Amino acid sequence: MKLNLGCGGDKRPGWINVDKYPEFAPDQVADLEALPWPWPDDSVDEVMLRHVLEHLGRTPELYLGIIKELWRVCRDGAQITIVVPHPRHDSYLNDPTHVRPIMPAGLELFSQAKNREWREKGIANSALGLALGVDFAIDRVDMRPDDLWARRVSSGQITTAQLAEAARQFNNVISEITIRWRAIKKRS
């Protein structure tokens, strides 16, 4: 099963397109903040969360519940694609329905391998993967520069290293982040 969660008008063939608003005519109407989700354990091979996750989980407890549900419904190795606006871009800041910034480092908190590594090194990051009994790994992260910065890179005005440095210092450098996340269920 492939779930396109919070599909809005982006309905994908071959996917179960899910939204809480019937006006979008999804395949299935479901509120992702109403837990538990309506899908069985270990039933999902792929999940798309395109401009959705930043809208969910107004409280930490609800957000963590959503992450636990995502892990519960995913099979081992399920691929999750998360596309979000960069929290230091106006497209994130201007939308009053955005409740939570989503960044790769925040999603790493749900990796049990990272949790164990941090413990061994004495790093005080929240070991949420171990605490919640979930496990996800980041396979890939892509950052899409804002058009102005993309033009600067493509014209040779700046290098990709300079773009990365600017993204650490300034707003409106990166407009969108795509994170490929993988559910890990088999324990070695």
Side-chain angles (χ1 to χ4, degrees):
M1 178 178 354
K2 294 172 25 172
L3 295 176
N4 181 16
L5 299 177
C7 67
D10 179 28
K11 288 191 246 159
R12 295 168 180 254
W15 294 67
I16 297 173
N17 297 287
V18 179
D19 205 283
K20 76 175 183 177
Y21 298 109
E23 296 79 18
F24 291 117
D27 301 318
Q28 185 172 0
V29 175
D31 181 350
L32 299 176
E33 292 187 316
L35 309 178
W37 288 354
W39 305 288
D41 295 1
D42 304 311
S43 62
V44 177
D45 297 301
E46 194 169 351
V47 176
M48 172 64 69
L49 288 157
R50 183 170 176 72
H51 290 276
V52 174
L53 196 53
E54 70 274 16
H55 295 272
L56 300 176
R58 201 167 293 280
T59 66
E61 295 78 20
L62 181 55
Y63 179 70
L64 296 177
I66 290 165
I67 297 299
K68 286 167 61 173
E69 280 301 288
L70 182 60
W71 190 81
R72 179 186 67 76
V73 302
C74 282
R75 291 184 175 151
D76 181 53
Q79 297 294 305
I80 301 124
T81 302
I82 300 166
V83 182
V84 293
H86 192 285
R88 293 183 59 209
H89 194 275
D90 286 349
S91 61
Y92 176 82
L93 298 170
N94 292 336
D95 189 334
T97 66
H98 291 163
V99 299
R100 167 175 319 284
I102 305 296
M103 293 290 288
L107 294 177
E108 271 192 337
L109 298 174
F110 301 102
S111 164
Q112 291 187 12
K114 288 288 185 184
N115 295 168
R116 287 185 192 93
E117 177 186 326
W118 297 331
R119 256 193 205 160
E120 289 170 15
K121 293 180 178 178
I123 298 171
N125 290 353
S126 298
L128 295 175
L130 293 170
L132 300 174
V134 302
D135 199 5
F136 293 96
I138 294 176
D139 289 332
R140 182 179 170 142
V141 175
D142 294 303
M143 304 271 187
R144 188 175 61 123
D146 183 82
D147 291 343
L148 170 72
W149 290 90
R151 284 193 301 275
R152 288 177 179 170
V153 171
S154 67
S155 71
Q157 285 180 298
I158 63 170
T159 66
T160 55
Q162 290 169 317
L163 175 72
E165 184 178 332
R168 287 190 297 276
Q169 296 178 27
F170 307 116
N171 288 345
N172 295 315
V173 176
I174 302 299
S175 62
E176 187 176 78
I177 306 167
T178 300
I179 302 157
R180 308 271 191 239
W181 218 21
R182 181 173 31 88
I184 300 170
K185 297 242 176 148
K186 292 185 179 165
R187 307 279 187 245
S188 41

